[in-house]
Amino acid sequence: MQASVGDRIIIHAHRVGEPERDCEILEVRGSDGEAPYVVRWGDNGHEALFFPGPDASIQHFDHSS
């Protein structure tokens, strides 16, 4: 999994009816865009060091501007 600052990580729900979670990547601490990431969670604003699991996907954004 490779990401850049400003991308979003989406954590897919584990059960029917459970909401997805998302967070914004604030800092990439791994090499070549890999984990761990410092993130800010969308539901509560909490910032944390995060290692995404297999239930996560990256929503990439254009960072060229």
Side-chain angles (χ1 to χ4, degrees), residues 19-45:
E20 293 183 335
R21 290 190 76 199
D22 69 292
C23 56
E24 177 185 1
I25 297 175
L26 304 176
E27 182 181 340
V28 177
R29 296 233 178 133
S31 60
D32 296 323
E34 295 185 7
Y37 307 110
V38 176
V39 301
R40 180 183 306 118
W41 290 99
D43 57 355
N44 61 15

Side-chain angles (χ1 to χ4, degrees), residues 40-62:
R40 180 183 306 118
W41 290 99
D43 57 355
N44 61 15
H46 180 75
E47 294 182 12
L49 187 64
F50 183 61
F51 293 82
D55 58 347
S57 62
I58 298 288
Q59 183 180 17
H60 297 282
F61 291 97
D62 183 11

